Amino acid sequence: MENPLHPFELHPFVHLSLLGVDISLNKAVLMMWVVVALVAGLLIAAGTSRRLVPRKLQSLAELLVEFIRGMILDTMGREGMRFFPFVSTLFVFILFCNLLGLVPGSFTVTSQIVVTAVFALFVYSMSIVVGFSLHGVKFLGILVPSGTPAWMLPLMIPIELVSQLARPLSLAVRLFANMTAGHTVLAVLFGMLVSMPFIPAPLAVKVGLFFVLVVLIVMRRRIVASAGIVGLILWWCLIPVLLSIIWIRWLPFVVSIAINGLEVFIAFIQAYIFSILTCVYLGDAIHLHGHEERAH
Amino acid sequence: MPPSTDPFYAGLGQAVRIGTEMLAALIVGGGLGWLVDTYLFSSGPWGMVAGLILGAFAGVRNAYRMAQRWPK
């Protein structure tokens, strides 16, 4: 069986270097270019018509804008709207990387920890820069939760320091691990699709069973009508058994399709989590201690 | 569809986040303790022990803070 981790291997197509830095082209770089071109093309096409009553593409783009606007207003308040371009770019880019990675033969850029770690470090250092530029030295107060008694400070400051430093790590690892795990499961299932042994039976038997299967599917209503619930149960038991004797690989096939659907959902939810945590961290930097009173 | 509209999936997303949050805090705490042990004081395993305990506290605190922000 093929190594299920082989979809994550990168081999450069073209070797390039700039001032000693390796900038070779590989699948991940090309995929990012495709994502950027696709997103830019779609959103520019959606934005040019500007109808009062939107068509399909424009209403999708309006849905996206409303969604991200609501996310920012919930977590950061009105002051956060200046980060709208940043957060929406991040969301759309990660979402399209995740979704396009599900197309067979393409590459999931977000399954490389380098990519997610650079995003996470950028977001986190941005929140620190924003915090220091808005609050000055008082921003160090983020290490002291509001209402801490003075004798607790030697304990609380290290704990808060660790919990702050854990933020970029959890941000990067979450996206990377979700993408890698899902694609590994898919690769294992598709590997089973190739390597699972057939049930040995003569071809004539298989052809005969195939006709029985067709008859069973066509006659389903009449079987249920004449034999009632017993007939229905029998029908549901017989179909997979017959199918397995003819072609056992229907099992990994069906499961891999179901997992693919789950992966589409995970692509959405991970892009959403990444961008909402970006909002939360930036919001912490904007409202120093403000969030704990506003939380419900 | 925006993933937050269905309350079940929004809740699932929230729940999945907590695990990573606690693990990351633990790793950072242990890592900081190890760095202190190796490069600052050569203080045996005690830096890492203290770091892991701090990391566990910080992880619980992060999870708690996240649960406070739970959407209505």
Side-chain angles (χ1 to χ4, degrees):
Chain A
M1 197 167 126
E2 208 172 4
N3 179 10
L5 292 181
H6 83 100
F8 307 112
E9 288 165 9
L10 280 175
H11 305 286
F13 300 141
V14 187
H15 290 277
L16 293 173
S17 73
L18 179 74
L19 304 173
V21 182
D22 184 18
I23 54 164
S24 306
L25 289 185
N26 54 29
K27 231 174 168 180
V29 179
L30 291 186
M31 229 21 236
M32 279 199 234
W33 287 350
V34 169
V35 167
V36 169
L38 192 68
V39 168
L42 274 180
L43 286 180
I44 289 172
T48 41
S49 58
R50 293 171 191 249
R51 290 166 192 273
L52 196 60
V53 180
R55 292 280 179 85
K56 280 177 199 159
L57 198 58
Q58 193 189 342
S59 60
L60 267 182
E62 287 182 2
L63 196 70
L64 178 79
V65 168
E66 278 299 309
F67 171 60
I68 294 170
R69 185 171 171 277
M71 188 161 84
I72 290 180
L73 288 182
D74 280 349
T75 49
M76 290 198 259
R78 289 221 72 82
E79 304 95 318
M81 282 309 282
R82 77 184 99 158
F83 295 109
F84 182 87
F86 175 67
V87 174
S88 55
T89 308
L90 205 59
F91 176 76
V92 175
F93 185 78
I94 292 176
L95 178 66
F96 272 73
C97 282
N98 294 350
L99 284 180
L100 285 192
L102 284 173
V103 178
S106 70
F107 187 84
T108 320
V109 184
T110 41
S111 70
Q112 298 289 309
I113 199 166
V114 183
V115 177
T116 60
V118 166
F119 281 168
L121 283 179
F122 184 77
V123 165
Y124 189 67
S125 28
M126 187 168 158
S127 81
I128 288 183
V129 169
V130 166
F132 274 114
S133 68
L134 282 182
H135 304 284
V137 190
K138 266 200 281 178
F139 183 62
L140 284 177
I142 202 168
L143 294 178
V144 185
S146 51
T148 314
W151 56 271
M152 282 285 280
L153 284 184
L155 187 62
M156 282 316 277
I157 288 180
I159 288 179
E160 283 295 304
L161 190 67
V162 170
S163 86
Q164 285 285 325
L165 290 180
R167 285 176 165 190
L169 186 74
S170 72
L171 205 55
V173 167
R174 183 181 300 114
L175 181 58
F176 151 77
N178 271 285
M179 287 301 129
T180 308
H183 284 260
T184 310
V185 169
L186 278 179
V188 169
L189 281 171
F190 281 120
M192 280 168 82
L193 197 57
V194 179
S195 69
M196 212 168 173
F198 286 112
I199 289 180
L203 190 65
V205 174
K206 287 197 176 184
V207 173
L209 286 178
F210 179 74
F211 280 114
V212 174
L213 194 72
V214 172
V215 169
L216 273 178
I217 290 174
V218 171
M219 305 271 285
R220 180 175 180 271
R221 194 161 293 170
R222 199 167 299 169
I223 294 172
V224 173
S226 58
I229 188 76
V230 181
L232 192 65
I233 292 171
L234 216 62
W235 191 86
W236 276 108
C237 294
L238 218 54
I239 294 282
V241 171
L242 288 182
L243 206 55
S244 304
I245 297 174
I246 298 167
W247 193 61
I248 185 77
R249 295 177 187 175
W250 70 276
L251 199 65
F253 188 69
V254 169
V255 176
S256 63
I257 287 176
I259 299 274
N260 227 322
L262 181 73
E263 284 301 306
V264 172
F265 162 65
I266 288 181
F268 273 99
I269 204 97
Q270 288 302 320
Y272 170 67
I273 288 178
F274 200 97
S275 37
I276 203 165
L277 282 181
T278 302
C279 289
V280 168
Y281 297 162
L282 287 172
D284 277 359
I286 295 176
H287 319 275
L288 204 52
H289 297 308
H291 59 84
E292 275 163 21
E293 289 88 68
R294 289 192 308 127
H296 300 276
Chain B
M1 54 127 214
S4 70
T5 46
D6 190 331
F8 172 72
Y9 291 126
L12 195 65
Q14 297 273 348
V16 167
R17 260 155 67 179
I18 287 183
T20 340
E21 211 64 52
M22 297 183 76
L23 185 72
L26 208 59
I27 291 173
V28 167
L32 278 184
W34 181 82
L35 283 180
V36 167
D37 273 351
T38 324
Y39 295 107
L40 279 185
F41 301 124
S42 68
S43 50
W46 299 114
M48 198 166 160
V49 169
L52 279 174
I53 292 172
L54 278 182
F57 277 130
V60 173
R61 177 153 174 76
N62 270 355
Y64 170 71
R65 200 178 320 180
M66 182 166 289
Q68 270 187 330
R69 276 206 198 92
W70 217 272
K72 284 70 63 185

